[in-house]
Amino acid sequence: MTGTQHAPPSTPAPPAAVPPAAALAPTTVPPAVLAPATVPAVLAPATVPAAALASATVPPGADLSSAAGPVAAADPAATVEASPLTDPPPAVDLIPAPRSAPAVRPGPVVSEGRIEGDGRIERVDAIDPEELPDGLVVADADGRVVCFNAAAARISGIPAAEALGRPLAEALPLQDLEGRRWWPLTDPYGGLAIRTRQPERNLLLPGGREVLVSARYLRADGRTGPVRRVVVALRGTEARRRTERGHAELIATVAHELRSPLTSVKGFTATLLQKWERFTDDQRKLMLETVDADANRVTRLIAELLDISRIDAGRLEVRRQQVDLPGALRRHVDGKIAAGVAPERFVIVVDDPLPPLWADADKVDQVLGNLLENAVRHGEGTVTIEVRPDTACLDDGRLREGTAVTVSDQGPGIPEDSIPRVFTRFWRGSKRGGTGLGLYIVKGIVEAHGGSIAVDHAPGGGARFRFILPASIPDFMS
């Protein structure tokens, strides 16, 4: 006699149509999971893993259109495998797996990625701390050093093997410029709970070595939680020292250049005030002319300093107007001749017609004056000035008109190894005086006009400077 099996009491599932078992592929689901008595509870939405349903497939030709539950509306990727059972399983509702983002895998602390066109981030490679140019020191939540890269060892002079595993204050003993220990002062692990960083500052290592140190406190909740990691960056002070030396040299040069004319002005004015009646009119005129020349020298030096500050800050203003470049050049040559330079030393070559030039007239005069002064003071023989039209092809295929000016002399020229430094601050071609700032300012002015300047050797020996200024015709006139 055939017995009847009774399922344990359970909440019955709402009926739903299920495709015949024969139309389904062989199952990978254990039979115990699909037992008639437990299927409704096991496949409840709260207990079915999404991954188990998302990975299932349906063989080609399977007809699921008659399903009355959510299976009919499910994504084709969310299908189920089944196997023929001795008794067909009761009808159940199958909940399709929702679409979700892939799980995030833990990666290295420092990594590099590339954003693809569809928004995905492709991980390229991990960055090795040993490849960083700056020193990197990392301490864990207990305050012990867990990373001390090669740059940190080089900058601090402390071997990495001695630093790893030690407390941060012992591995990297730092002091401020007043000799106080820095780590107890900042107290990254027990100080203010809202502090997350330390700005860069000068600190001292044992032995007096100076380093630039900045720190970041990584907290558990990102704001006020306990510190779980302290990241310290170390940099050498060589670049800052070079900048400071440059500033000190600038101050020394300015002081020297100002002292000479001011001494002359002071001496002549004091003499004239005390002994005015003892001098003839010609003597008084000579003294006053000397005072005027020295005052002009001081004014010129102050203007150079202002130009340097504007060039460095990128704030050099250019007030464009139409400039007669050959006429300005002849005025400068006439001034040199009036100052005592032999007229036969100058040769001016102008290749007409020249395109109209819109530039800052005062700054163009400054460029011409500096180049002629260099050629007369540091060069020898004939100084040749050529003014010719110039045409350049831009990247977009358009032609740009401009004017090229070449100033060359017949002196010893500039040594080959010094040519790259000609347009830097304080470069002097000889010991004949000067601040060493003129050519630096010339380059800044030419580039502010959108032009270029270069130096090489003249065909007959000596130095040859060539600068090009674009026409820069205003839009309303072009």
Side-chain angles (χ1 to χ4, degrees):
M1 182 174 179
T2 304
T4 302
Q5 296 181 353
H6 296 278
S10 61
T11 303
V18 177
L24 300 177
T27 186
T28 58
V29 181
V33 175
L34 297 178
T38 59
V39 166
V42 173
L43 292 183
T47 58
V48 177
L53 293 177
S55 61
T57 58
V58 172
D63 184 12
L64 298 181
S65 59
S66 60
V71 173
D75 194 305
T79 54
V80 179
E81 292 184 357
S83 64
L85 303 176
T86 55
D87 295 321
V92 295
D93 287 334
L94 299 181
I95 308 301
R99 291 180 178 268
S100 59
V104 179
R105 299 180 180 178
V109 175
V110 183
S111 61
E112 180 182 359
R114 179 173 59 241
I115 299 178
E116 299 296 324
D118 57 0
R120 294 181 298 107
I121 298 180
E122 179 186 356
R123 183 171 158 191
V124 178
D125 195 4
I127 298 178
D128 187 353
E130 302 299 327
E131 299 174 355
L132 297 176
D134 293 339
L136 177 66
V137 180
V138 181
D140 60 11
D142 297 326
R144 295 191 174 273
V145 176
V146 295
C147 176
F148 201 92
N149 69 349
R154 171 178 52 81
I155 294 171
S156 65
I158 301 172
E162 296 182 6
L164 292 173
R166 298 179 60 190
L168 182 59
E170 297 178 7
L172 192 65
L174 295 170
Q175 297 180 349
D176 61 14
L177 300 182
E178 297 179 2
R180 298 172 298 182
R181 292 189 300 167
W182 192 60
W183 292 116
L185 289 176
T186 57
D187 193 10
Y189 292 94
L192 290 174
I194 60 173
R195 179 175 294 168
T196 59
R197 59 185 294 270
Q198 286 288 344
E200 187 176 72
R201 65 190 64 199
N202 282 28
L203 295 175
L204 300 176
L205 287 164
R209 178 179 297 188
E210 189 174 356
V211 292
L212 298 175
V213 181
S214 59
R216 179 85 179 186
Y217 306 156
L218 303 180
R219 299 186 176 273
D221 61 356
R223 287 182 174 271
T224 59
V227 175
R228 59 183 178 85
R229 188 174 298 153
V230 175
V231 181
V232 182
L234 303 178
R235 291 198 301 135
T237 58
E238 291 79 8
R240 179 170 294 187
R241 286 178 179 174
R242 285 195 297 269
T243 303
E244 291 175 352
R245 283 197 299 268
H247 291 164
E249 188 173 356
L250 176 62
I251 293 173
T253 301
V254 170
H256 174 74
E257 292 295 323
L258 286 175
R259 182 176 58 185
S260 298
L262 289 178
T263 301
S264 173
V265 170
K266 176 64 176 175
F268 279 118
T269 54
T271 302
L272 287 173
L273 288 173
Q274 295 174 3
K275 303 177 181 180
W276 176 267
E277 65 281 353
R278 298 185 183 182
F279 296 107
T280 63
D281 290 342
D282 291 339
Q283 290 173 329
R284 295 168 185 165
K285 182 180 179 181
L286 178 61
M287 291 183 182
L288 291 174
E289 288 175 348
T290 304
V291 169
D292 182 65
D294 287 334
N296 290 336
R297 182 179 170 187
V298 172
T299 303
R300 185 171 61 251
L301 178 59
I302 293 174
E304 288 181 352
L305 294 176
L306 293 175
D307 287 337
I308 287 177
S309 65
R310 295 187 184 112
I311 291 171
D312 290 343
R315 296 185 292 104
L316 188 65
E317 295 182 2
V318 176
R319 297 179 174 88
R320 296 185 184 273
Q321 60 181 352
Q322 194 160 5
V323 176
D324 179 12
L325 193 58
L329 188 57
R330 292 188 180 96
R331 287 197 305 272
H332 281 277
V333 171
D334 291 342
K336 293 294 181 186
I337 294 174
V341 182
E344 56 271 15
R345 285 201 64 185
F346 298 99
V347 174
I348 300 177
V349 179
V350 179
D351 191 356
D352 291 322
L354 296 172
L357 176 64
W358 286 76
D360 191 312
D362 293 336
K363 290 180 171 54
V364 170
D365 281 341
Q366 196 171 350
V367 171
L368 295 175
N370 269 293
L371 294 180
L372 285 176
E373 180 69 21
N374 275 286
V376 171
R377 177 183 294 183
H378 305 292
E380 298 175 1
T382 302
V383 177
T384 304
I385 307 104
E386 304 174 45
V387 184
R388 305 183 187 279
D390 181 82
T391 304
C393 183
L394 302 179
D395 295 337
D396 57 3
R398 294 183 296 111
L399 296 179
R400 185 183 71 177
E401 291 186 334
T403 304
V405 179
T406 304
V407 180
S408 57
D409 61 72
Q410 297 176 336
I414 301 173
E416 194 70 33
D417 58 345
S418 297
I419 287 181
R421 298 185 288 111
V422 165
F423 296 106
T424 59
R425 291 183 182 184
F426 310 117
W427 182 84
R428 297 180 178 88
S430 66
K431 298 181 179 179
R432 299 182 184 179
T435 61
L437 301 174
L439 293 177
Y440 177 80
I441 295 173
V442 165
K443 183 174 184 290
I445 292 175
V446 171
E447 291 180 348
H449 282 80
S452 60
I453 186 169
V455 60
D456 60 1
H457 298 288
R464 178 174 62 182
F465 289 86
R466 185 174 189 264
F467 69 91
I468 302 173
L469 295 178
S472 300
I473 301 175
D475 294 337
F476 69 88
M477 295 185 61
S478 59

